[in-house]
Amino acid sequence: GAVVSQHPSWVICKSGTSVKIECRSLDFQATTMFWYRQFPKQSLMLMATSNEGSKATYEQGVEKDKFLINHASLTLSTLTVTSAHPEDSSFYICSARRQRVGSNQPQHFGDGTRLSIL
Amino acid sequence: LAKTTQPISMDSYEGQEVNITCSHNNIATNDYITWYQQFPSQGPRFIIQGYKTKVTNEVASLFIPADRKSSTLSLPRVSLSDTAVYYCLVGRMNRDDKIIFGKGTRLHILP
């Protein structure tokens, strides 16, 4: 089955640091990937849609200068949390959908990245 | 994007069949219904997807009435390891179509 991998799974860093999270589709190509964040006991909140070779589309209220998204290849999207602060601490999850013309494909999710800013 | 409504939480016992119903009154013609399972500190895992009537796989069944305004996820003979949050999602499954998560149902299986 489709596999989406995230790295790192856990990161702890000081306030003011920039943190990069990678999302890879391991056995399929994905022109579109999605980034979510999730706070404890809450549902996933869509942050942005990452498009290969073009700019990401951000949801309302998500700062594009704060959360930089790069989708440089068909199998890799990165989310960089710039100048992270404690309020950015959260669980970040990416997803991707296999590209198949004429069929409906569910999204496959990575196992998430736990970001803790001290 | 169709809005979904699910029970916030449910309790059941090991060995029982669990049915979780999701309402999606404004589902569109091209929308599919997809269910995901999420354990703590993990990403959601795909369970099952359907468009109409009934779909069954090795882990669950999905029942969709003719009007498609609701759907029921059926988990046969649950075990403690089925304790998780279950999300019902409705939308087109094309490449660029985003999915908005509702609150999900927190299922707690008791011994």
Side-chain angles (χ1 to χ4, degrees):
Chain A
V3 177
V4 174
S5 174
Q6 268 184 256
H7 178 80
S9 56
W10 192 293
V11 59
I12 302 173
C13 57
K14 294 181 179 180
S15 185
T17 307
S18 291
V19 178
K20 180 185 284 187
I21 302 170
E22 292 186 350
C23 178
R24 294 181 184 272
S25 55
L26 297 184
D27 59 351
F28 65 98
Q29 293 182 334
T31 56
T32 304
M33 293 184 176
F34 302 89
W35 286 96
Y36 297 82
R37 68 188 296 184
Q38 185 177 33
F39 293 107
K41 303 292 185 182
Q42 295 187 23
S43 184
L44 283 77
M45 182 180 72
L46 180 66
M47 299 175 66
T49 301
S50 172
N51 304 298
E52 188 266 336
S54 64
K55 293 183 178 180
T57 304
Y58 291 82
E59 295 299 303
Q60 190 173 9
V62 178
E63 301 176 58
K64 63 174 107 177
D65 295 330
K66 175 76 170 176
F67 300 99
L68 300 179
I69 291 173
N70 184 279
H71 194 153
S73 78
L74 288 172
T75 59
L76 173 64
S77 175
T78 60
L79 168 68
T80 301
V81 184
T82 61
S83 187
H85 292 284
E87 59 265 28
D88 298 321
S89 298
S90 189
F91 191 52
Y92 293 86
I93 309 170
C94 71
S95 71
R97 182 180 285 135
R98 186 189 297 271
Q99 312 303 311
R100 277 191 183 155
V101 177
S103 68
N104 291 282
Q105 297 294 317
Q107 286 191 24
H108 296 277
F109 290 81
D111 272 338
T113 297
R114 175 77 55 195
L115 175 62
S116 296
I117 308 299
L118 305 177
Chain B
L1 294 168
K3 181 181 176 180
T4 60
T5 303
Q6 305 173 233
I8 295 296
S9 65
M10 294 178 66
D11 289 342
S12 187
Y13 292 92
E14 278 192 293
Q16 298 292 309
E17 177 185 79
V18 172
N19 296 310
I20 306 174
T21 297
C22 178
S23 296
H24 28 81
N25 291 319
N26 59 339
I27 188 170
T29 302
N30 295 330
D31 287 346
Y32 278 68
I33 301 156
T34 311
W35 286 80
Y36 286 88
Q37 174 192 57
Q38 187 184 27
F39 298 112
S41 296
Q42 293 186 24
R45 188 179 72 170
F46 171 80
I47 300 175
I48 197 166
Q49 181 183 96
Y51 183 80
K52 62 180 179 180
T53 61
K54 177 184 175 182
V55 180
T56 297
N57 61 21
E58 62 275 10
V59 298
S61 294
L62 178 60
F63 298 93
I64 306 167
D67 65 5
R68 304 203 322 126
K69 293 183 182 299
S70 67
S71 59
T72 299
L73 174 71
S74 180
L75 304 172
R77 299 180 59 80
V78 293
S79 64
L80 295 176
S81 62
D82 292 315
T83 294
V85 179
Y86 292 81
Y87 294 98
C88 162
L89 304 173
V90 174
R92 300 187 310 173
M93 292 297 147
N94 294 326
R95 183 187 65 193
D96 300 336
D97 293 335
K98 58 187 179 184
I99 291 180
I100 304 299
F101 279 74
K103 297 184 186 302
T105 297
R106 193 169 296 273
L107 177 65
H108 187 203
I109 304 302
L110 304 166

